[in-house]
């Protein structure tokens, strides 16, 4: 993801997460940490022609990474795009030499939870009222050793 992707990403963000969409400033801040030798973030976009149909981001700190966001356009659900985006984030976590990857997922987002479980993420707790302003709880999930979840996978396949 680059700065010129922010506007189309924001459109998709607002469509998919109307109550708790990220702001332009949040994406700019994340991208500011995604370049150079001291980068701690990895953000990617998926395109179908010229249209951005998905995006994902990861933040690393020490030996832990956090999935910040994954989004897939509704007309792309069921195509495997979410798996390919998550694979790319886990490859980044491995490159950052992270021993574990954490994430929060809305408790009502069963589709995402099933994706994470397929990759080996396990539920470890809840964050009450994490998603605002809707006051929706988050399920906290953890994956230990992300390198084992991406062996033999192909982002293009």
């Amino acid at each position: 993801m680059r700065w010129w992707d922010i506007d189309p990403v924001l459109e998709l963000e607002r469509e998919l997460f109307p109550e708790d969409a990220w702001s332009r400033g949040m994406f700019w801040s994340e991208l500011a940490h995604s370049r150079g030798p001291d980068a701690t973030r990895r953000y990617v976009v998926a395109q179908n022609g010229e249209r951005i149909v998905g995006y994902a981001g990861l933040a690393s700190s020490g030996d832990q990474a956090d999935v910040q966001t994954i989004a897939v356009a509704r007309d792309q659900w069921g195509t495997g795009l979410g798996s390919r985006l998550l694979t790319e984030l886990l490859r980044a976590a491995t490159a950052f030499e992270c021993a574990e990857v954490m994430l929060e997922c809305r408790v009502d987002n069963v589709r995402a939870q099933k994706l994470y479980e397929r990759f080996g993420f396990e539920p470890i707790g809840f964050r009450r009222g994490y998603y605002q302003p809707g006051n929706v709880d988050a399920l906290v999930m953890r994956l230990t050793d992300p390198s084992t979840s991406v062996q033999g996978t192909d982002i293009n396949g």
Side-chain angles (χ1 to χ4, degrees):
M1 183 185 299
R2 303 298 291 266
W3 65 267
W4 53 80
D5 296 321
I6 290 176
D7 284 341
V9 163
L10 277 173
E11 281 183 43
L12 190 53
E13 174 82 3
R14 291 176 185 137
E15 176 188 328
L16 295 170
F17 311 112
E19 287 187 3
D20 46 22
W22 282 24
S23 68
R24 179 182 315 278
M26 291 169 78
F27 281 107
W28 271 106
S29 178
E30 290 297 294
L31 289 181
H33 299 283
S34 68
R35 299 278 182 251
D38 297 325
T40 57
R41 306 290 194 274
R42 174 78 170 132
Y43 277 77
V44 296
V45 295
Q47 292 183 264
N48 185 353
E50 294 296 312
R51 178 178 162 236
I52 290 180
V53 294
Y55 57 91
L58 178 103
S60 69
S61 179
D63 67 350
Q64 182 175 311
D66 289 282
V67 173
Q68 302 292 85
T69 187
I70 293 183
V72 174
R74 283 186 179 90
D75 67 343
Q76 299 293 309
W77 288 3
T79 65
L81 180 55
S83 292
R84 291 191 301 273
L85 289 167
L86 184 54
T87 296
E88 186 64 23
L89 294 186
L90 296 179
R91 284 185 176 153
T94 301
F96 285 132
E97 299 181 354
C98 295
E100 68 178 7
V101 179
M102 306 287 292
L103 61 82
E104 291 89 17
C105 179
R106 288 175 63 109
V107 294
D108 58 359
N109 191 344
V110 177
R111 174 184 289 276
Q113 291 170 33
K114 288 183 181 200
L115 168 67
Y116 301 137
E117 288 170 358
R118 283 197 313 268
F119 276 77
F121 282 86
E122 297 178 341
I124 60 167
F126 294 93
R127 295 189 196 275
R128 303 284 177 214
Y130 182 79
Y131 292 98
Q132 294 297 328
N135 202 37
V136 177
D137 295 345
L139 176 64
V140 180
M141 301 181 84
R142 176 179 57 208
L143 173 67
T144 54
D145 194 3
S147 66
T148 61
S149 292
V150 296
Q151 290 178 351
T153 59
D154 181 5
I155 188 74
N156 298 314

